[in-house]
Amino acid sequence: MVPLSFAGQEWFLTEGRALYWPREHALLVADLHLEKGSFFAGHGQMIPPYDSRETLERVALAIRETGARRVITLGDNFHDSKGSARLEPHACGMLEALTKAVDWVWITGNHDPDMEARCGGTLVEELEIGGTILRHRAQKGETRPELSGHYHPRLQLTVHRRHIRRPCAVVSANEGTDGKPSGRMILPAFGAYTGGMNAADPAILRALQPADTIDAVVPAKGRLARFNLWSNAA
């Protein structure tokens, strides 16, 4: 894990694309897209159907790594609202064990607005904890601290003719309405079968306005690497 200063607090990014919030003992993960494999199989595209198991194993690892007592997902938990009904018994058993071990909150997203918590957990549309807003999709114009997912951001670089694409978080910084440091963060997609969007895509930069700066951040060899994507001084 690497420390990340955000909205006046210390957080930690894990190598596995999760965010840990020490003050709340909470692990945040975005865009699990569970049962994406079975969704595609139902539409004639056969891919290995074990993505849910792999994703849940990675959640369990992040819980052990951080010692989290709470898990909050940031939407698109299943690839579609019927995904929870397709979850095979082994994966459902894994999920039930996790939702019993920690306080588990599902924030719903555009892929699963009508999902059911068949294997445990509590469903909400969005959540506010200590002045920080947790939702699936960044809301343009939001000035309070905000955590979201949806965009699956990836850092895209060319170094010595090598093309590098890595999942990353995108963090904006600005002064809040109360004059205190504020900011917003879009988490990388956590699921095994999730692609990504260029972190510098205009859709992401627009979603995080107003902002003073917008950076991509990614853990690298035990340190936090930061790459500026946009600045209002530019």
Side-chain angles (χ1 to χ4, degrees), residues 111-172:
H111 272 260
D112 52 8
D114 302 312
M115 71 165 278
E116 298 180 27
R118 293 173 180 262
C119 302
T122 303
L123 284 164
V124 299
E125 290 186 6
E126 65 178 50
L127 195 61
E128 180 177 353
I129 301 176
T132 298
I133 309 300
L134 283 62
R135 54 169 58 110
H136 175 58
R137 187 170 185 170
Q139 190 172 102
K140 184 179 179 180
E142 180 64 78
T143 56
R144 298 169 293 179
E146 176 195 71
L147 299 169
S148 63
H150 182 67
Y151 289 101
H152 304 200
R154 283 179 179 263
L155 178 66
Q156 298 184 188
L157 296 172
T158 301
V159 180
H160 302 303
R161 299 184 181 180
R162 289 181 55 217
H163 298 292
I164 299 172
R165 298 181 75 237
R166 289 189 61 182
C168 67
V170 178
V171 181
S172 71

Side-chain angles (χ1 to χ4, degrees), residues 32 137 145 153 188 194 223:
L32 301 179
R137 187 170 185 170
T194 50
R223 301 178 64 182

Side-chain angles (χ1 to χ4, degrees), residues 17-156:
R17 292 178 267 168
L19 178 70
Y20 181 60
W21 190 356
R23 192 189 73 183
E24 301 295 329
H25 306 286
L27 183 76
L28 294 103
V29 290
D31 299 281
L32 301 179
H33 283 269
L34 299 170
E35 291 306 301
K36 186 173 182 177
S38 64
F39 176 86
F40 277 94
H43 290 76
Q45 185 176 344
M46 299 302 176
I47 55 179
Y50 304 114
D51 56 303
S52 295
R53 294 188 189 187
E54 180 181 342
T55 298
L56 293 172
E57 285 172 357
R58 291 178 54 238
V59 174
L61 177 63
I63 292 172
R64 291 195 298 270
E65 179 185 4
T66 60
R69 299 200 292 265
R70 191 178 197 189
V71 170
I72 304 170
T73 73
L74 297 180
D76 286 359
N77 312 296
F78 286 84
H79 194 64
D80 62 292
S81 288
K82 296 180 180 179
S84 59
R86 296 196 306 274
L87 201 64
E88 44 96 7
H90 181 84
C92 186
M94 294 172 66
L95 182 53
E96 286 177 336
L98 291 172
T99 57
K100 289 177 181 176
V102 297
D103 175 22
W104 189 290
V105 180
W106 303 100
I107 292 175
T108 53
N110 57 291
H111 272 260
D112 52 8
D114 302 312
M115 71 165 278
E116 298 180 27
R118 293 173 180 262
C119 302
T122 303
L123 284 164
V124 299
E125 290 186 6
E126 65 178 50
L127 195 61
E128 180 177 353
I129 301 176
T132 298
I133 309 300
L134 283 62
R135 54 169 58 110
H136 175 58
R137 187 170 185 170
Q139 190 172 102
K140 184 179 179 180
E142 180 64 78
T143 56
R144 298 169 293 179
E146 176 195 71
L147 299 169
S148 63
H150 182 67
Y151 289 101
H152 304 200
R154 283 179 179 263
L155 178 66
Q156 298 184 188

